[in-house]
Amino acid sequence: TMTLDAVVRQAIRRAPCSIRTLARDVGVSHVLLAEIVAGRRRATPRVAMMLARALEQWGDRCHKSAAQVRTTATRLSKESSL
Protein backbone atom coordinates (compact mmCIF):
# COMPACT_ATOMS: atom_id res chain seq x y z
CA THR A 1 0.00 0.00 0.00
CA MET A 2 1.30 3.42 -0.97
CA THR A 3 1.61 6.18 1.62
CA LEU A 4 -0.33 9.42 1.32
CA ASP A 5 2.90 11.23 0.45
CA ALA A 6 3.69 8.77 -2.35
CA VAL A 7 0.18 8.93 -3.80
CA VAL A 8 0.15 12.74 -3.72
CA ARG A 9 3.63 12.96 -5.29
CA GLN A 10 2.56 10.63 -8.07
CA ALA A 11 -0.65 12.58 -8.68
CA ILE A 12 1.23 15.88 -8.89
CA ARG A 13 3.74 14.41 -11.34
CA ARG A 14 0.97 12.97 -13.52
CA ALA A 15 -1.16 16.12 -13.55
CA PRO A 16 -1.91 17.47 -17.05
CA CYS A 17 -0.49 20.88 -16.19
CA SER A 18 2.38 22.66 -14.50
CA ILE A 19 2.82 22.65 -10.74
CA ARG A 20 1.97 26.38 -10.69
CA THR A 21 -1.30 25.83 -12.53
CA LEU A 22 -2.17 22.84 -10.38
CA ALA A 23 -1.38 24.77 -7.20
CA ARG A 24 -3.66 27.60 -8.30
CA ASP A 25 -6.51 25.15 -8.89
CA VAL A 26 -5.83 23.34 -5.61
CA GLY A 27 -5.67 26.62 -3.69
CA VAL A 28 -2.16 26.20 -2.28
CA SER A 29 1.29 27.60 -2.99
CA HIS A 30 3.23 26.07 -5.87
CA VAL A 31 6.18 25.96 -3.46
CA LEU A 32 4.21 23.61 -1.20
CA LEU A 33 3.49 21.20 -4.06
CA ALA A 34 7.11 21.35 -5.26
CA GLU A 35 8.34 20.60 -1.73
CA ILE A 36 5.95 17.65 -1.42
CA VAL A 37 7.24 16.27 -4.74
CA ALA A 38 10.84 16.75 -3.58
CA GLY A 39 10.10 15.02 -0.26
CA ARG A 40 10.87 18.09 1.84
CA ARG A 41 7.26 18.45 3.05
CA ARG A 42 4.63 15.88 3.95
CA ALA A 43 1.23 15.82 2.33
CA THR A 44 -1.61 16.42 4.76
CA PRO A 45 -5.02 14.81 4.32
CA ARG A 46 -6.48 18.30 3.76
CA VAL A 47 -4.07 19.10 0.91
CA ALA A 48 -4.62 15.61 -0.54
CA MET A 49 -8.40 16.13 -0.60
CA MET A 50 -8.01 19.57 -2.20
CA LEU A 51 -5.68 18.03 -4.81
CA ALA A 52 -8.14 15.24 -5.53
CA ARG A 53 -10.94 17.76 -6.06
CA ALA A 54 -8.83 19.83 -8.48
CA LEU A 55 -7.78 16.74 -10.45
CA GLU A 56 -11.40 15.57 -10.67
CA GLN A 57 -12.36 18.96 -12.10
CA TRP A 58 -9.53 18.71 -14.66
CA GLY A 59 -10.73 15.22 -15.57
CA ASP A 60 -14.31 16.39 -16.02
CA ARG A 61 -13.22 19.27 -18.25
CA CYS A 62 -10.93 17.05 -20.31
CA HIS A 63 -13.63 14.40 -20.70
CA LYS A 64 -16.18 16.97 -21.87
CA SER A 65 -13.69 18.50 -24.32
CA ALA A 66 -12.82 15.09 -25.71
CA ALA A 67 -16.49 14.29 -26.24
CA GLN A 68 -17.03 17.59 -28.10
CA VAL A 69 -14.00 16.98 -30.31
CA ARG A 70 -15.10 13.41 -31.06
CA THR A 71 -18.68 14.47 -31.88
CA THR A 72 -17.56 17.29 -34.18
CA ALA A 73 -14.94 15.14 -35.92
CA THR A 74 -17.48 12.35 -36.47
CA ARG A 75 -20.05 14.79 -37.87
CA LEU A 76 -17.53 16.41 -40.21
CA SER A 77 -16.24 13.02 -41.32
CA LYS A 78 -19.79 11.91 -42.22
CA GLU A 79 -20.51 15.21 -44.00
CA SER A 80 -17.34 15.00 -46.08
CA SER A 81 -18.16 11.46 -47.21
CA LEU A 82 -21.56 12.47 -48.62
Side-chain angles (χ1 to χ4, degrees):
T1 306
M2 293 178 71
T3 66
L4 181 61
D5 290 322
V7 171
V8 168
R9 274 194 299 274
Q10 185 177 58
I12 294 168
R13 287 186 187 119
R14 291 181 176 176
C17 58
S18 69
I19 285 183
R20 283 183 186 270
T21 300
L22 182 59
R24 184 192 67 226
D25 288 356
V26 172
V28 298
S29 163
H30 72 279
V31 174
L32 173 63
L33 295 186
E35 288 180 347
I36 291 171
V37 169
R40 290 189 296 268
R41 296 274 299 264
R42 307 266 332 247
T44 64
R46 181 175 179 272
V47 169
M49 293 300 287
M50 293 167 64
L51 174 64
R53 194 172 310 115
L55 291 172
E56 287 167 347
Q57 290 172 352
W58 270 87
D60 289 345
R61 287 192 301 264
C62 289
H63 188 268
K64 288 175 186 173
S65 294
Q68 289 175 329
V69 168
R70 186 176 293 108
T71 299
T72 303
T74 300
R75 180 178 50 79
L76 291 174
S77 177
K78 288 178 183 176
E79 288 176 3
S80 68
S81 66
L82 294 179

